[in-house]
Short mmCIF file of all heavy atoms in Angstrom, two decimals:
data_model
loop_
_atom_site.label_atom_id
_atom_site.label_comp_id
_atom_site.label_asym_id
_atom_site.label_seq_id
_atom_site.Cartn_x
_atom_site.Cartn_y
_atom_site.Cartn_z
N ALA A 11 -123.76 -114.27 -97.17
CA ALA A 11 -123.85 -112.86 -97.33
C ALA A 11 -123.90 -112.38 -98.83
O ALA A 11 -124.56 -111.40 -99.19
CB ALA A 11 -122.70 -112.18 -96.53
N ILE A 12 -123.07 -113.03 -99.63
CA ILE A 12 -122.98 -112.72 -101.08
C ILE A 12 -124.31 -112.97 -101.70
O ILE A 12 -124.87 -112.13 -102.41
CB ILE A 12 -121.85 -113.44 -101.71
CG1 ILE A 12 -120.45 -112.90 -101.34
CG2 ILE A 12 -121.98 -113.41 -103.26
CD1 ILE A 12 -119.29 -113.81 -101.68
N VAL A 13 -124.92 -114.09 -101.44
CA VAL A 13 -126.16 -114.44 -102.07
C VAL A 13 -127.30 -113.41 -101.60
O VAL A 13 -128.01 -112.97 -102.41
CB VAL A 13 -126.62 -115.90 -101.76
CG1 VAL A 13 -128.09 -116.21 -102.07
CG2 VAL A 13 -125.66 -116.91 -102.48
N LEU A 14 -127.34 -113.21 -100.29
CA LEU A 14 -128.29 -112.23 -99.73
C LEU A 14 -128.18 -110.87 -100.43
O LEU A 14 -129.08 -110.27 -100.92
CB LEU A 14 -128.14 -112.12 -98.29
CG LEU A 14 -129.18 -111.25 -97.58
CD1 LEU A 14 -130.66 -111.76 -97.85
CD2 LEU A 14 -128.89 -111.19 -96.09
N ALA A 15 -126.98 -110.35 -100.53
CA ALA A 15 -126.66 -109.04 -101.15
C ALA A 15 -127.05 -109.02 -102.59
O ALA A 15 -127.58 -108.08 -103.14
CB ALA A 15 -125.17 -108.67 -100.99
N ALA A 16 -126.69 -110.12 -103.30
CA ALA A 16 -126.99 -110.21 -104.69
C ALA A 16 -128.54 -110.18 -104.99
O ALA A 16 -129.00 -109.44 -105.84
CB ALA A 16 -126.38 -111.50 -105.31
N LEU A 17 -129.27 -111.06 -104.30
CA LEU A 17 -130.68 -111.12 -104.57
C LEU A 17 -131.45 -109.92 -104.10
O LEU A 17 -132.33 -109.45 -104.83
CB LEU A 17 -131.30 -112.38 -103.91
CG LEU A 17 -130.92 -113.73 -104.51
CD1 LEU A 17 -131.54 -114.88 -103.83
CD2 LEU A 17 -131.21 -113.78 -106.03
N THR A 18 -131.14 -109.38 -102.98
CA THR A 18 -131.87 -108.14 -102.48
C THR A 18 -131.47 -106.96 -103.39
O THR A 18 -132.23 -106.15 -103.66
CB THR A 18 -131.55 -107.81 -101.02
OG1 THR A 18 -130.17 -107.68 -100.84
CG2 THR A 18 -132.16 -108.88 -100.10
N GLY A 19 -130.16 -106.91 -103.76
CA GLY A 19 -129.74 -105.81 -104.67
C GLY A 19 -130.47 -105.88 -106.04
O GLY A 19 -131.03 -104.82 -106.48
N ALA A 20 -130.52 -107.06 -106.55
CA ALA A 20 -131.17 -107.19 -107.94
C ALA A 20 -132.71 -107.15 -107.88
O ALA A 20 -133.28 -106.40 -108.71
CB ALA A 20 -130.81 -108.49 -108.53
N PHE A 21 -133.29 -107.75 -106.91
CA PHE A 21 -134.72 -107.89 -106.95
C PHE A 21 -135.57 -107.18 -105.94
O PHE A 21 -136.74 -107.04 -106.06
CB PHE A 21 -135.17 -109.44 -106.88
CG PHE A 21 -134.53 -110.17 -108.04
CD1 PHE A 21 -133.40 -111.01 -107.88
CD2 PHE A 21 -135.00 -109.99 -109.35
CE1 PHE A 21 -132.79 -111.68 -108.87
CE2 PHE A 21 -134.46 -110.72 -110.39
CZ PHE A 21 -133.38 -111.56 -110.17
N ALA A 22 -134.88 -106.57 -104.95
CA ALA A 22 -135.63 -105.62 -104.04
C ALA A 22 -135.17 -104.16 -104.27
O ALA A 22 -136.09 -103.30 -104.21
CB ALA A 22 -135.35 -106.05 -102.51
N GLU A 23 -133.88 -103.97 -104.45
CA GLU A 23 -133.55 -102.62 -104.74
C GLU A 23 -133.42 -102.25 -106.21
O GLU A 23 -133.14 -101.08 -106.52
CB GLU A 23 -132.06 -102.43 -104.08
CG GLU A 23 -132.09 -102.67 -102.57
CD GLU A 23 -130.74 -102.97 -101.97
OE1 GLU A 23 -129.74 -102.89 -102.68
OE2 GLU A 23 -130.73 -103.21 -100.72
N HIS A 24 -133.61 -103.20 -107.06
CA HIS A 24 -133.58 -103.03 -108.58
C HIS A 24 -132.26 -102.39 -109.04
O HIS A 24 -132.27 -101.44 -109.91
CB HIS A 24 -134.87 -102.21 -109.00
CG HIS A 24 -136.07 -102.86 -108.50
ND1 HIS A 24 -136.65 -103.93 -109.17
CD2 HIS A 24 -136.87 -102.55 -107.45
CE1 HIS A 24 -137.74 -104.23 -108.52
NE2 HIS A 24 -137.93 -103.44 -107.47
N ASP A 25 -131.11 -102.79 -108.45
CA ASP A 25 -129.84 -102.25 -108.78
C ASP A 25 -129.19 -103.26 -109.74
O ASP A 25 -128.61 -104.28 -109.32
CB ASP A 25 -129.03 -102.13 -107.51
CG ASP A 25 -127.60 -101.65 -107.77
OD1 ASP A 25 -127.21 -101.39 -108.90
OD2 ASP A 25 -126.86 -101.56 -106.82
N LEU A 26 -129.21 -103.01 -111.03
CA LEU A 26 -128.70 -103.90 -112.03
C LEU A 26 -127.17 -104.03 -111.97
O LEU A 26 -126.52 -104.96 -112.50
CB LEU A 26 -129.13 -103.53 -113.42
CG LEU A 26 -130.62 -103.54 -113.64
CD1 LEU A 26 -131.03 -103.10 -115.10
CD2 LEU A 26 -131.25 -104.98 -113.33
N SER A 27 -126.48 -103.08 -111.27
CA SER A 27 -125.00 -103.10 -111.25
C SER A 27 -124.56 -104.35 -110.41
O SER A 27 -123.37 -104.81 -110.48
CB SER A 27 -124.44 -101.83 -110.65
OG SER A 27 -124.68 -101.77 -109.23
N VAL A 28 -125.47 -104.93 -109.52
CA VAL A 28 -125.08 -106.03 -108.68
C VAL A 28 -124.68 -107.27 -109.56
O VAL A 28 -123.94 -108.15 -109.13
CB VAL A 28 -126.13 -106.45 -107.62
CG1 VAL A 28 -126.31 -105.33 -106.63
CG2 VAL A 28 -127.35 -106.89 -108.29
N PHE A 29 -125.16 -107.28 -110.78
CA PHE A 29 -124.86 -108.44 -111.62
C PHE A 29 -123.41 -108.51 -111.98
O PHE A 29 -122.86 -109.57 -112.02
CB PHE A 29 -125.77 -108.44 -112.93
CG PHE A 29 -127.18 -108.81 -112.59
CD1 PHE A 29 -128.21 -107.77 -112.47
CD2 PHE A 29 -127.58 -110.06 -112.39
CE1 PHE A 29 -129.47 -108.05 -112.13
CE2 PHE A 29 -128.90 -110.45 -112.12
CZ PHE A 29 -129.84 -109.40 -111.94
N ASP A 30 -122.81 -107.35 -112.13
CA ASP A 30 -121.39 -107.24 -112.45
C ASP A 30 -120.52 -107.61 -111.16
O ASP A 30 -119.47 -108.13 -111.31
CB ASP A 30 -120.98 -105.89 -112.90
CG ASP A 30 -121.57 -105.60 -114.29
OD1 ASP A 30 -121.69 -106.50 -115.16
OD2 ASP A 30 -122.04 -104.40 -114.40
N ARG A 31 -121.05 -107.29 -109.96
CA ARG A 31 -120.34 -107.58 -108.74
C ARG A 31 -120.41 -109.04 -108.27
O ARG A 31 -119.57 -109.58 -107.69
CB ARG A 31 -120.82 -106.69 -107.60
CG ARG A 31 -120.38 -105.25 -107.86
CD ARG A 31 -120.52 -104.45 -106.58
NE ARG A 31 -121.85 -104.41 -106.01
CZ ARG A 31 -122.80 -103.51 -106.37
NH1 ARG A 31 -122.64 -102.63 -107.37
NH2 ARG A 31 -124.02 -103.57 -105.91
N TYR A 32 -121.55 -109.63 -108.40
CA TYR A 32 -121.88 -110.92 -107.71
C TYR A 32 -122.05 -112.13 -108.69
O TYR A 32 -121.94 -113.28 -108.24
CB TYR A 32 -123.14 -110.81 -106.86
CG TYR A 32 -122.91 -109.81 -105.72
CD1 TYR A 32 -123.78 -108.66 -105.68
CD2 TYR A 32 -122.00 -110.06 -104.81
CE1 TYR A 32 -123.53 -107.80 -104.66
CE2 TYR A 32 -121.87 -109.08 -103.73
CZ TYR A 32 -122.66 -107.99 -103.72
OH TYR A 32 -122.49 -107.09 -102.69
N TRP A 33 -122.30 -111.91 -109.97
CA TRP A 33 -122.51 -113.03 -110.87
C TRP A 33 -121.37 -113.27 -111.78
O TRP A 33 -120.86 -112.27 -112.43
CB TRP A 33 -123.81 -112.77 -111.74
CG TRP A 33 -125.09 -113.29 -111.05
CD1 TRP A 33 -125.63 -114.54 -111.20
CD2 TRP A 33 -125.95 -112.48 -110.22
NE1 TRP A 33 -126.78 -114.53 -110.51
CE2 TRP A 33 -127.01 -113.28 -109.83
CE3 TRP A 33 -125.88 -111.22 -109.70
CZ2 TRP A 33 -128.01 -112.88 -109.03
CZ3 TRP A 33 -126.86 -110.73 -108.84
CH2 TRP A 33 -128.03 -111.60 -108.59
N ALA A 34 -120.91 -114.43 -112.09
CA ALA A 34 -119.86 -114.72 -113.02
C ALA A 34 -120.48 -114.50 -114.43
O ALA A 34 -121.68 -114.73 -114.64
CB ALA A 34 -119.43 -116.17 -112.88
N LYS A 35 -119.64 -114.08 -115.32
CA LYS A 35 -120.08 -113.79 -116.72
C LYS A 35 -120.73 -115.04 -117.32
O LYS A 35 -121.75 -114.98 -118.09
CB LYS A 35 -118.88 -113.37 -117.55
CG LYS A 35 -118.81 -111.90 -117.79
CD LYS A 35 -117.70 -111.67 -118.82
CE LYS A 35 -118.03 -110.32 -119.45
NZ LYS A 35 -116.94 -109.89 -120.42
N ASP A 36 -120.11 -116.20 -117.10
CA ASP A 36 -120.53 -117.39 -117.70
C ASP A 36 -121.39 -118.26 -116.74
O ASP A 36 -121.41 -119.49 -116.86
CB ASP A 36 -119.31 -118.28 -118.22
CG ASP A 36 -118.38 -118.62 -117.05
OD1 ASP A 36 -118.50 -118.01 -115.98
OD2 ASP A 36 -117.46 -119.44 -117.35
N TYR A 37 -122.13 -117.55 -115.87
CA TYR A 37 -123.16 -118.10 -114.96
C TYR A 37 -123.93 -119.21 -115.62
O TYR A 37 -124.48 -118.97 -116.67
CB TYR A 37 -123.89 -116.90 -114.45
CG TYR A 37 -125.06 -117.14 -113.64
CD1 TYR A 37 -125.02 -117.56 -112.30
CD2 TYR A 37 -126.44 -116.87 -114.12
CE1 TYR A 37 -126.13 -117.67 -111.52
CE2 TYR A 37 -127.46 -117.07 -113.31
CZ TYR A 37 -127.34 -117.46 -112.00
OH TYR A 37 -128.47 -117.58 -111.25
N ILE A 38 -124.04 -120.34 -114.98
CA ILE A 38 -124.81 -121.51 -115.47
C ILE A 38 -126.24 -121.43 -114.88
O ILE A 38 -126.41 -121.48 -113.66
CB ILE A 38 -124.18 -122.81 -115.14
CG1 ILE A 38 -122.76 -122.84 -115.73
CG2 ILE A 38 -125.03 -123.96 -115.66
CD1 ILE A 38 -121.92 -123.95 -115.23
N GLN A 39 -127.23 -121.26 -115.79
CA GLN A 39 -128.58 -121.13 -115.29
C GLN A 39 -129.41 -122.41 -115.64
O GLN A 39 -129.45 -122.84 -116.80
CB GLN A 39 -129.32 -119.91 -116.10
CG GLN A 39 -130.70 -119.67 -115.82
CD GLN A 39 -130.95 -119.33 -114.40
OE1 GLN A 39 -131.36 -120.11 -113.60
NE2 GLN A 39 -130.69 -118.07 -114.01
N HIS A 40 -130.02 -123.02 -114.62
CA HIS A 40 -130.78 -124.26 -114.81
C HIS A 40 -132.31 -123.88 -114.85
O HIS A 40 -133.11 -124.87 -114.98
CB HIS A 40 -130.48 -125.26 -113.69
CG HIS A 40 -129.08 -125.74 -113.81
ND1 HIS A 40 -128.71 -126.73 -114.74
CD2 HIS A 40 -128.00 -125.37 -113.10
CE1 HIS A 40 -127.38 -126.97 -114.58
NE2 HIS A 40 -126.96 -126.20 -113.63
N ASN A 41 -132.72 -122.74 -114.71
CA ASN A 41 -134.12 -122.28 -114.72
C ASN A 41 -134.63 -122.50 -116.10
O ASN A 41 -133.91 -122.19 -117.08
CB ASN A 41 -134.26 -120.84 -114.26
CG ASN A 41 -135.67 -120.31 -114.31
OD1 ASN A 41 -136.26 -120.17 -115.36
ND2 ASN A 41 -136.33 -120.18 -113.15
N THR A 42 -135.96 -122.86 -116.25
CA THR A 42 -136.44 -123.16 -117.61
C THR A 42 -136.84 -121.98 -118.44
O THR A 42 -136.99 -122.07 -119.67
CB THR A 42 -137.70 -124.07 -117.53
OG1 THR A 42 -138.73 -123.40 -116.75
CG2 THR A 42 -137.36 -125.40 -116.85
N PHE A 43 -136.97 -120.78 -117.85
CA PHE A 43 -137.45 -119.67 -118.64
C PHE A 43 -136.53 -118.47 -118.54
O PHE A 43 -136.82 -117.37 -119.15
CB PHE A 43 -138.88 -119.24 -118.19
CG PHE A 43 -138.98 -118.81 -116.76
CD1 PHE A 43 -138.63 -117.42 -116.37
CD2 PHE A 43 -139.40 -119.72 -115.77
CE1 PHE A 43 -138.80 -117.09 -115.05
CE2 PHE A 43 -139.54 -119.26 -114.43
CZ PHE A 43 -139.21 -117.95 -114.01
N ILE A 44 -135.31 -118.62 -117.95
CA ILE A 44 -134.39 -117.56 -117.86
C ILE A 44 -133.29 -117.83 -118.91
O ILE A 44 -132.68 -118.90 -118.87
CB ILE A 44 -133.82 -117.28 -116.50
CG1 ILE A 44 -134.93 -116.93 -115.55
CG2 ILE A 44 -132.76 -116.20 -116.52
CD1 ILE A 44 -134.44 -116.87 -114.05
N PRO A 45 -132.93 -116.92 -119.85
CA PRO A 45 -131.84 -117.16 -120.84
C PRO A 45 -130.60 -117.40 -120.05
O PRO A 45 -130.37 -116.99 -118.93
CB PRO A 45 -131.87 -115.87 -121.64
CG PRO A 45 -133.21 -115.25 -121.49
CD PRO A 45 -133.68 -115.67 -120.14
N PRO A 46 -129.57 -118.00 -120.76
CA PRO A 46 -128.26 -118.30 -120.09
C PRO A 46 -127.46 -117.10 -119.76
O PRO A 46 -127.64 -115.97 -120.27
CB PRO A 46 -127.64 -119.21 -121.16
CG PRO A 46 -128.23 -118.82 -122.41
CD PRO A 46 -129.67 -118.40 -122.10
N PHE A 47 -126.57 -117.46 -118.88
CA PHE A 47 -125.46 -116.51 -118.48
C PHE A 47 -125.99 -115.33 -117.65
O PHE A 47 -127.18 -115.16 -117.47
CB PHE A 47 -124.57 -116.03 -119.66
CG PHE A 47 -124.18 -117.15 -120.56
CD1 PHE A 47 -124.48 -117.23 -121.86
CD2 PHE A 47 -123.39 -118.24 -119.97
CE1 PHE A 47 -124.09 -118.26 -122.72
CE2 PHE A 47 -122.95 -119.31 -120.82
CZ PHE A 47 -123.35 -119.33 -122.15
N ARG A 48 -125.07 -114.53 -117.11
CA ARG A 48 -125.34 -113.39 -116.36
C ARG A 48 -126.24 -112.47 -117.09
O ARG A 48 -127.20 -111.86 -116.46
CB ARG A 48 -124.06 -112.68 -115.95
CG ARG A 48 -124.19 -111.40 -115.12
CD ARG A 48 -122.90 -110.87 -114.70
NE ARG A 48 -122.11 -110.32 -115.84
CZ ARG A 48 -120.81 -110.01 -115.71
NH1 ARG A 48 -120.17 -110.18 -114.57
NH2 ARG A 48 -120.18 -109.56 -116.75
N GLU A 49 -126.00 -112.20 -118.35
CA GLU A 49 -126.77 -111.25 -119.10
C GLU A 49 -128.29 -111.73 -119.31
O GLU A 49 -129.21 -110.86 -119.32
CB GLU A 49 -126.18 -110.96 -120.48
CG GLU A 49 -124.96 -110.20 -120.42
CD GLU A 49 -125.12 -108.82 -119.64
OE1 GLU A 49 -126.10 -108.09 -119.85
OE2 GLU A 49 -124.23 -108.62 -118.73
N GLY A 50 -128.47 -112.99 -119.29
CA GLY A 50 -129.91 -113.52 -119.38
C GLY A 50 -130.72 -113.11 -118.14
O GLY A 50 -131.84 -112.62 -118.24
N LEU A 51 -130.13 -113.26 -116.98
CA LEU A 51 -130.73 -112.89 -115.69
C LEU A 51 -130.89 -111.40 -115.52
O LEU A 51 -131.87 -110.85 -115.12
CB LEU A 51 -130.04 -113.52 -114.53
CG LEU A 51 -130.69 -113.28 -113.17
CD1 LEU A 51 -132.17 -113.87 -113.15
CD2 LEU A 51 -129.88 -113.96 -112.07
N ARG A 52 -129.79 -110.66 -115.96
CA ARG A 52 -129.84 -109.18 -115.89
C ARG A 52 -130.98 -108.64 -116.70
O ARG A 52 -131.73 -107.84 -116.32
CB ARG A 52 -128.50 -108.54 -116.31
CG ARG A 52 -128.57 -107.02 -116.19
CD ARG A 52 -127.43 -106.37 -117.00
NE ARG A 52 -126.12 -106.97 -116.99
CZ ARG A 52 -125.12 -106.63 -116.23
NH1 ARG A 52 -125.25 -105.55 -115.48
NH2 ARG A 52 -124.00 -107.22 -116.21
N ASN A 53 -131.21 -109.23 -117.95
CA ASN A 53 -132.23 -108.78 -118.82
C ASN A 53 -133.57 -109.10 -118.27
O ASN A 53 -134.51 -108.22 -118.39
CB ASN A 53 -132.08 -109.39 -120.25
CG ASN A 53 -130.82 -108.89 -120.98
OD1 ASN A 53 -130.32 -107.80 -120.67
ND2 ASN A 53 -130.39 -109.62 -121.95
N LEU A 54 -133.76 -110.15 -117.64
CA LEU A 54 -135.07 -110.51 -116.97
C LEU A 54 -135.32 -109.54 -115.90
O LEU A 54 -136.39 -108.98 -115.79
CB LEU A 54 -135.03 -111.97 -116.47
CG LEU A 54 -136.35 -112.29 -115.64
CD1 LEU A 54 -136.89 -113.52 -116.25
CD2 LEU A 54 -136.06 -112.40 -114.12
N ALA A 55 -134.35 -109.23 -115.02
CA ALA A 55 -134.50 -108.35 -113.95
C ALA A 55 -134.75 -106.90 -114.40
O ALA A 55 -135.60 -106.22 -113.79
CB ALA A 55 -133.18 -108.30 -113.07
N ALA A 56 -134.22 -106.52 -115.53
CA ALA A 56 -134.43 -105.15 -116.12
C ALA A 56 -135.84 -105.01 -116.57
O ALA A 56 -136.40 -103.89 -116.63
CB ALA A 56 -133.46 -104.91 -117.22
N GLN A 57 -136.54 -106.09 -116.91
CA GLN A 57 -137.88 -106.05 -117.37
C GLN A 57 -138.93 -106.10 -116.25
O GLN A 57 -140.17 -106.00 -116.50
CB GLN A 57 -138.14 -107.18 -118.41
CG GLN A 57 -137.32 -107.03 -119.65
CD GLN A 57 -137.41 -108.23 -120.55
OE1 GLN A 57 -138.43 -108.95 -120.55
NE2 GLN A 57 -136.39 -108.52 -121.35
N LEU A 58 -138.52 -106.33 -115.04
CA LEU A 58 -139.49 -106.46 -113.93
C LEU A 58 -140.14 -105.15 -113.66
O LEU A 58 -139.52 -104.08 -113.78
CB LEU A 58 -138.85 -107.06 -112.72
CG LEU A 58 -138.36 -108.50 -112.76
CD1 LEU A 58 -137.56 -108.81 -111.48
CD2 LEU A 58 -139.55 -109.45 -112.97
N PRO A 59 -141.44 -105.17 -113.23
CA PRO A 59 -142.06 -103.87 -112.90
C PRO A 59 -141.35 -103.18 -111.71
O PRO A 59 -140.74 -103.86 -110.84
CB PRO A 59 -143.55 -104.34 -112.41
CG PRO A 59 -143.71 -105.66 -112.95
CD PRO A 59 -142.37 -106.26 -113.10
N ALA A 60 -141.40 -101.87 -111.70
CA ALA A 60 -140.72 -101.08 -110.58
C ALA A 60 -141.14 -101.43 -109.27
O ALA A 60 -140.43 -101.34 -108.25
CB ALA A 60 -140.91 -99.65 -110.88
N ASP A 61 -142.47 -101.88 -109.13
CA ASP A 61 -143.02 -102.24 -107.76
C ASP A 61 -142.86 -103.74 -107.48
O ASP A 61 -143.36 -104.17 -106.39
CB ASP A 61 -144.47 -101.78 -107.67
CG ASP A 61 -145.38 -102.51 -108.62
OD1 ASP A 61 -144.83 -103.13 -109.56
OD2 ASP A 61 -146.60 -102.45 -108.49
N SER A 62 -142.08 -104.52 -108.31
CA SER A 62 -141.88 -105.84 -107.90
C SER A 62 -140.84 -105.90 -106.64
O SER A 62 -140.16 -104.95 -106.45
CB SER A 62 -141.25 -106.63 -109.08
OG SER A 62 -140.00 -106.10 -109.46
N ASN A 63 -140.86 -106.99 -105.90
CA ASN A 63 -140.12 -107.00 -104.69
C ASN A 63 -139.58 -108.41 -104.44
O ASN A 63 -140.20 -109.37 -104.96
CB ASN A 63 -141.00 -106.50 -103.48
CG ASN A 63 -140.12 -106.30 -102.28
OD1 ASN A 63 -139.00 -105.89 -102.35
ND2 ASN A 63 -140.70 -106.51 -101.08
N TYR A 64 -138.55 -108.42 -103.61
CA TYR A 64 -138.04 -109.74 -103.10
C TYR A 64 -137.86 -109.62 -101.64
O TYR A 64 -137.36 -108.61 -101.16
CB TYR A 64 -136.63 -109.96 -103.78
CG TYR A 64 -135.90 -111.17 -103.19
CD1 TYR A 64 -136.37 -112.48 -103.49
CD2 TYR A 64 -134.84 -110.96 -102.27
CE1 TYR A 64 -135.68 -113.55 -102.91
CE2 TYR A 64 -134.17 -112.05 -101.79
CZ TYR A 64 -134.68 -113.33 -102.04
OH TYR A 64 -134.00 -114.42 -101.50
N GLU A 65 -138.28 -110.68 -100.96
CA GLU A 65 -138.12 -110.79 -99.49
C GLU A 65 -137.35 -112.07 -99.19
O GLU A 65 -137.79 -113.16 -99.45
CB GLU A 65 -139.45 -110.87 -98.81
CG GLU A 65 -140.33 -109.67 -99.02
CD GLU A 65 -141.73 -109.96 -98.47
OE1 GLU A 65 -141.90 -110.01 -97.25
OE2 GLU A 65 -142.63 -110.16 -99.42
N PRO A 66 -136.10 -111.90 -98.58
CA PRO A 66 -135.38 -113.21 -98.26
C PRO A 66 -135.93 -113.84 -97.02
O PRO A 66 -136.46 -113.13 -96.06
CB PRO A 66 -134.01 -112.66 -98.06
CG PRO A 66 -134.21 -111.19 -97.56
CD PRO A 66 -135.45 -110.72 -98.32
N GLY A 67 -135.79 -115.10 -97.01
CA GLY A 67 -136.19 -115.88 -95.80
C GLY A 67 -135.10 -116.71 -95.37
O GLY A 67 -133.93 -116.22 -95.20
N MET A 68 -135.30 -117.94 -95.04
CA MET A 68 -134.28 -118.83 -94.48
C MET A 68 -133.06 -118.91 -95.48
O MET A 68 -133.26 -119.11 -96.69
CB MET A 68 -134.89 -120.28 -94.32
CG MET A 68 -133.95 -121.24 -93.65
SD MET A 68 -134.61 -122.91 -93.45
CE MET A 68 -136.26 -122.53 -92.83
N ILE A 69 -131.87 -118.96 -94.95
CA ILE A 69 -130.67 -119.11 -95.69
C ILE A 69 -129.79 -120.20 -95.12
O ILE A 69 -129.55 -120.23 -93.87
CB ILE A 69 -129.76 -117.83 -95.75
CG1 ILE A 69 -130.62 -116.65 -96.31
CG2 ILE A 69 -128.57 -118.01 -96.64
CD1 ILE A 69 -129.90 -115.28 -96.03
#
Side-chain angles (χ1 to χ4, degrees):
I12 289 168
V13 168
L14 184 60
L17 290 180
T18 56
F21 299 106
E23 299 163 2
H24 306 280
D25 177 3
L26 299 180
S27 72
V28 299
F29 289 99
D30 296 321
R31 287 195 303 275
Y32 297 116
W33 274 268
K35 258 186 158 176
D36 58 350
Y37 171 73
I38 301 167
Q39 178 63 260
H40 295 280
N41 179 291
T42 61
F43 61 85
I44 299 174
F47 310 119
R48 176 175 70 194
E49 288 308 310
L51 185 58
R52 182 197 319 259
N53 291 338
L54 177 126
Q57 295 174 26
L58 292 174
D61 62 347
S62 63
N63 193 31
Y64 172 73
E65 300 167 72
M68 183 184 315
I69 305 171

